[in-house]
Amino acid sequence: MATIQVNFFSKCLRREVTFNALLPLDSPVIPGQTEEEHRIKPLKTLYLLHGYSGSHGDWLSYSRIRELSDKHKIAVIMPSGENHFYVDDEDLGALYGEFVGKELVEFTRTMLPLSTDREDTFIGGLSMGGYGAIRNGLKYASHFSRIIALSSAILPYKIANAAPDFKDGIADYKYFRRVFGDLDQLLGSDKDPEALVMGLKESGEPIPQIYMACGTEDFLLDVNQRFRDFLVRENVPLTYVESAGAHTWDFWSEYIVYAIEWALGNNPNT
């Protein structure tokens, strides 16, 4: 298993950025194995996003992602979204959505032995990263065939049309307006997952399959259930799991195992 850290200049963010990558390329030679069996093939890839207040090192530090990458022979690319919810800030010229949904995919495909097939390319994340995976998996649906969304912070349901005195225990109106723009215009925009789904349906473009999981003790359970109900009404391919658990790494470490199995078509136990 090769573990690398890459620094490169992002045109979308206008500065040097860092991401971690797991590349299951360096397996030992097994006696009797043919040259074809040992030949490196383009890797299926999961772009995996961290949560609020996290970093590109979180998944490596707190989960079994290295083991899972090696077991399933899938590359995992882990960028940093800082606290910007993986959406574009046109005023600052910091295009976090375009960075993870387009630029990072194109850059890593150029640099690393990754499959360029949509069917082999997935995006996932937890909490803020779960929202980022949903938003950018839908906005850049031509790149991604599957979306993994764990305990997703689908905040448009909570902050749309919020008043200036709004606070939710994590951030306030000024922060959300800085990140998401005019909150009175949020619903129906490209930061609204429901609007993105409807846009794909109207255009006839394929909608990525979606895997959602959320704990029954999670403070974000209500918005996950609401988005689930919307997807069911719109007949969007969905696997939804709810089980005991809170907004913790115990839950995410367990369900990333099932989610990767699902993404690879292995019919996981959920």
Side-chain angles (χ1 to χ4, degrees):
M1 167 60 66
T3 304
I4 63 174
Q5 185 175 96
V6 178
N7 299 321
F8 79 103
F9 184 84
S10 165
K11 294 179 182 178
C12 287
L13 299 179
R14 301 183 182 182
R15 57 181 171 81
E16 187 174 275
V17 297
T18 302
F19 68 86
N20 285 327
L22 295 171
L23 300 165
L25 300 171
D26 50 341
S27 57
V29 176
I30 300 173
Q33 188 177 53
T34 67
E35 183 175 335
E36 174 62 23
E37 288 173 321
H38 196 68
R39 183 174 64 86
I40 294 174
K41 301 179 179 67
L43 295 166
K44 295 184 178 183
T45 310
L46 170 62
Y47 294 84
L48 192 56
L49 312 181
H50 66 77
Y52 185 85
S53 76
S55 77
H56 60 276
D58 282 11
W59 281 102
L60 278 175
S61 297
Y62 303 121
S63 79
R64 297 167 51 195
I65 194 61
R66 190 177 188 277
E67 172 193 341
L68 296 170
S69 173
D70 189 47
K71 175 182 177 181
H72 296 292
K73 305 306 176 191
I74 180 174
V76 183
I77 310 297
M78 295 161 283
S80 179
E82 296 162 6
N83 284 343
H84 288 266
F85 276 81
Y86 306 96
V87 295
D88 298 330
D89 187 329
E90 289 86 357
D91 291 341
L92 285 180
L95 307 181
Y96 286 90
E98 185 177 339
F99 168 65
V100 298
K102 184 173 185 291
E103 183 181 29
L104 185 64
V105 174
E106 294 173 350
F107 179 81
T108 51
R109 284 177 172 176
T110 300
M111 178 184 184
L112 303 170
L114 307 181
S115 171
T116 59
D117 290 346
R118 177 179 180 269
E119 282 301 308
D120 293 338
T121 309
F122 322 130
I123 187 168
L126 65 88
S127 194
M128 179 184 82
Y131 165 80
I134 292 170
R135 188 266 181 180
N136 293 299
L138 294 171
K139 184 172 176 63
Y140 298 96
S142 62
H143 283 160
F144 305 107
S145 64
R146 290 168 180 78
I147 295 168
I148 294 169
L150 308 180
S151 307
S152 300
I154 310 173
L155 293 192
Y157 288 141
K158 290 182 175 288
I159 65 175
N161 303 305
D165 61 352
F166 177 83
K167 293 182 180 180
D168 69 352
I170 295 176
D172 59 14
Y173 174 86
K174 289 183 179 179
Y175 166 78
F176 291 123
R177 196 182 194 290
R178 170 70 269 170
V179 172
F180 289 92
D182 186 346
L183 301 184
D184 292 336
Q185 302 297 319
L186 181 53
L187 297 182
S189 75
D190 71 354
K191 300 177 179 70
D192 174 4
E194 289 194 9
L196 290 168
V197 168
M198 298 310 295
L200 289 172
K201 293 189 74 171
E202 290 167 9
S203 69
E205 295 180 56
I207 300 174
Q209 297 180 49
I210 300 175
Y211 179 100
M212 296 178 67
C214 193
T216 52
E217 289 73 53
D218 197 309
F219 69 95
L220 291 171
L221 180 61
D222 58 339
V223 294
N224 282 263
Q225 291 174 332
R226 182 170 172 179
F227 190 55
R228 172 203 63 193
D229 293 345
F230 164 77
L231 294 174
V232 170
R233 287 196 306 272
E234 295 300 325
N235 296 311
V236 175
L238 171 68
T239 297
Y240 180 86
V241 184
E242 222 174 80
S243 71
H247 205 72
T248 66
W249 277 102
D250 287 340
F251 185 87
W252 305 321
S253 293
E254 178 180 359
Y255 277 90
I256 193 61
V257 177
Y258 304 140
I260 290 175
E261 292 271 8
W262 164 87
L264 296 173
N266 294 339
N267 297 317
N269 294 322
T270 54

